[in-house]
Amino acid sequence: MSVIVVLASVLCSCQSEQEQVMNPTEDSSQFVTLTDVVPDVILEIRYFGTYNFVGDRIDGYLEPTALLTKVAADSLKAVSDDVMAQGYRLKIYDAYRPQKAVDHFVRWAENVPDIRMRDYFYPDLDKSVLFDQEYICLKSGHTRGSTLDLTLFDMNTEKELDMGGTFDWFGPESHPDFCGNSETGEYTGVNQQSPKGRRITAEQFANRMILREAMMRHGFKPFDTEWWHFTLKDEPFPDTYFTFPVKQLNAVR
């Protein structure tokens, strides 16, 4: 199967073909273990376990921890303080992702018969379309170290805030503007893109907006096909793709 690097991807936020210059490095000196900077976050590192769209632990995840560049972690601390004042905590699914993990995703996507997790993450799709429909690609913004996937945990209910959809769902239901206008925060209830006619409620849409607005207030930009995915606007390594594994780093900053 031929794999084309595409402009945008539900899983990867790929660069365009004109921006394929890749500077790989093992240098982790500008990264921190996220909990050293933002101790209030909750970690559920999906790619360290088997509950993910692949169904296996992903290559490069040696420990169930989250890493970010120092500047991204500092900005996320401001987000954490913001949402905690509203009664929430940040819950992290993924942060820095080594290139070998992205390579693992590509190998999995090419293995079309492996559909173990289809019912949980892509029930409306035939796996053979994942490249053509831009769900999997050769590079990911996560590998540059200033992108993360997250949700909100409600401290009153002691449950995740209901976002009307699961992390890593392959489909239009994951789009921030699903059933509403993500720029204005207006819920419309209208979306004709869902192949099964799914909808989310006004409350679920509003919950997505709480996360989106808090992230944007503190320097992160959203991604137009994933409500959970954000990148630091002024990321320090826009052209560098890191290769060191995910594991605890020294706390020295």
Side-chain angles (χ1 to χ4, degrees), residues 72-155:
D74 287 340
S75 293
L76 196 68
K77 177 63 166 64
V79 178
S80 178
D81 293 345
D82 185 335
V83 300
M84 285 194 69
Q86 301 179 59
Y88 307 110
R89 290 173 67 182
L90 299 178
K91 185 172 186 178
I92 311 299
Y93 295 124
D94 194 34
Y96 160 70
R97 182 184 306 164
Q99 183 60 41
K100 65 177 62 178
V102 179
D103 296 342
H104 191 165
F105 293 164
V106 170
R107 291 195 307 274
W108 166 82
E110 291 175 330
N111 182 15
V112 175
D114 181 359
I115 56 171
R116 286 171 290 160
M117 305 303 286
R118 180 180 179 181
D119 289 348
Y120 302 98
F121 297 101
Y122 53 103
D124 302 337
L125 294 175
D126 187 289
K127 189 178 175 184
S128 63
V129 306
L130 295 185
F131 288 118
D132 290 343
Q133 294 193 17
E134 306 179 355
Y135 287 96
I136 298 291
C137 61
L138 294 177
K139 292 193 288 182
S140 168
H142 283 269
T143 310
R144 302 193 299 265
S146 297
T147 292
L148 71 162
D149 299 327
L150 75 170
T151 190
L152 293 173
F153 182 88
D154 189 326
M155 291 190 288

Side-chain angles (χ1 to χ4, degrees), residues 148-169:
L148 71 162
D149 299 327
L150 75 170
T151 190
L152 293 173
F153 182 88
D154 189 326
M155 291 190 288
N156 291 319
T157 65
E158 298 183 350
K159 296 178 181 179
E160 286 185 20
L161 206 57
D162 184 358
M163 299 295 192
T166 186
F167 164 65
D168 266 355
W169 177 273

Side-chain angles (χ1 to χ4, degrees), residues 46-58:
R46 290 285 184 88
Y47 301 138
F48 180 78
T50 59
Y51 181 58
N52 56 59
F53 62 88
V54 174
D56 296 315
R57 181 180 295 178
I58 303 304

